[in-house]
Amino acid sequence: MKIKMVDIAGNLSFVRDKISQACSRRPSEFGNVIPRLVAVSKTKPPNLVIDAYDAGQQHFGENYVNELIEKAGHPDILKRDIRWHFIGHLQRNKVNKVLAVPNIWVVETVDSNKLATALDTAWPKFRTSDDFKLNIMVQVNTSKEQEKSGCEPAEASSLVKHVLENCKNLNFLGIMTIGAYGYDPASGPNPDFLSLRQCREEICKELSLDKEQVELSMGMSTDFEHAIELGSTNVRVGSLLFGERPPKH
Ligand SMILES: *Cc1c(COP(=O)(O)O)cnc(C)c1O
């Protein structure tokens, strides 16, 4: 088998350039918020995470609990100040495992009151200082596909309300969507991204929040520029940085 070399530093600077170009195409209402780049390292070995970190990347995303635990616990990764994003479906019986991960920075996939409560209850056992809240995002199933997780768009604001009012150990960061795969931005603004924006409107109105207080996590390798033009503040990019993944089994 031929081993393909991956030029992580080159790929990172390519993606960062694309991000800043996309920022300059945004309407001025988005201000100068620079979207956060999350390098999605699922299925990729620890050495690529290390290469990316050493090339200046701090935020990484994983969506399988065991893989996150293994990678985050790798001795050379532990030495680095990585900020982990959990971006996969989270079952309540796995909450302790995810919260025990050193440097867990955000759980992007909170999709029910029960999961929020479970995270809130468990976090004090794991945090390193008393006033350190766990960042969370609420995942919204904007494409309304059965197999996708996330709360219904119409439920998002009551879930956020639950987090703000009842989960004092959690810090609400924003809302996240995966969206339907394969949408062609040439057909116009991605309806999933528009739907997430609409969700934010409703959340802000119902809970009297400012737009700046509610991040939008949307956009992946094929559409992060498009997502940024529509207001994304957090893009999750995997294959464009680390190379294609083997097809899902
Ligand atoms: C895999 C994954 C990504 C990254 O996908 P790419 O197409 O490789 O950029 C982003 N978000 C989530 C939730 C994922 O599971």
Side-chain angles (χ1 to χ4, degrees):
M1 202 177 81
K2 212 171 106 197
I3 296 180
K4 265 212 288 194
M5 295 294 286
V6 190
D7 174 15
I8 299 281
N11 292 350
L12 268 171
S13 76
F14 174 81
V15 170
R16 288 197 193 113
D17 281 350
K18 293 285 178 199
I19 289 177
S20 51
Q21 288 160 21
C23 283
S24 63
R25 291 192 298 267
R26 287 180 309 193
S28 58
E29 59 174 292
F30 296 116
N32 4 341
V33 179
I34 310 278
R36 184 186 300 111
L37 171 62
V38 181
V40 178
S41 48
K42 65 185 178 204
T43 79
K44 301 297 176 183
N47 66 298
L48 293 189
V49 172
I50 292 164
D51 287 352
Y53 182 89
D54 293 347
Q57 177 62 29
Q58 190 176 29
H59 289 261
F60 290 84
E62 286 285 341
N63 61 347
Y64 304 105
V65 175
N66 290 335
E67 197 182 339
L68 172 61
I69 292 170
E70 240 172 74
K71 246 175 256 181
H74 186 286
D76 292 331
I77 288 186
L78 276 176
K79 278 187 229 154
R80 291 165 166 85
D81 183 21
I82 284 175
R83 298 184 165 183
W84 288 107
H85 292 228
F86 186 73
I87 58 173
H89 179 59
L90 182 55
Q91 289 163 311
R92 267 184 292 152
N93 60 5
K94 300 271 178 68
V95 158
N96 283 347
K97 287 178 117 181
V98 167
L99 296 188
V101 166
N103 292 342
I104 182 76
W105 192 76
V106 61
V107 174
E108 292 201 17
T109 46
V110 175
D111 60 357
S112 70
N113 284 15
K114 283 180 171 172
L115 179 58
T117 301
L119 288 163
D120 182 60
T121 309
W123 183 235
K125 288 184 279 182
F126 299 97
R127 66 182 164 200
T128 46
S129 83
D130 277 353
D131 53 359
F132 184 26
K133 293 188 180 200
L134 175 72
N135 293 318
I136 64 103
M137 294 191 190
V138 164
Q139 181 181 3
V140 185
N141 185 359
T142 53
S143 53
K144 302 196 171 162
E145 291 162 287
Q146 286 253 287
E147 72 278 9
K148 292 251 163 73
S149 352
C151 69
E152 297 281 317
E155 292 167 355
S157 133
S158 77
L159 176 42
V160 173
K161 186 168 192 263
H162 171 71
V163 171
L164 295 176
E165 289 181 355
N166 306 320
C167 302
K168 61 179 190 316
N169 301 316
L170 304 184
N171 178 46
F172 170 66
L173 211 61
I175 53 182
M176 175 270 206
T177 186
I178 297 178
Y181 293 118
Y183 180 79
D184 178 5
S187 330
N190 185 322
D192 285 304
F193 300 163
L194 294 181
S195 165
L196 199 67
R197 269 196 349 194
Q198 182 57 36
C199 254
R200 178 170 66 178
E201 294 285 328
E202 284 157 24
I203 290 167
C204 288
K205 204 166 105 201
E206 285 170 34
L207 307 175
S208 306
L209 298 174
D210 287 336
K211 263 205 228 171
E212 292 70 36
Q213 296 171 283
V214 184
E215 286 204 24
L216 298 179
S217 173
M218 58 190 198
M220 320 203 294
S221 288
T222 54
D223 54 13
F224 69 97
E225 295 162 87
H226 181 60
I228 289 169
E229 289 168 30
L230 293 174
S232 176
T233 64
N234 188 87
V235 291
R236 312 176 307 266
V237 178
S239 40
L240 201 55
L241 293 172
F242 295 111
E244 290 299 323
R245 290 179 299 273
K248 256 199 221 165
H249 36 268

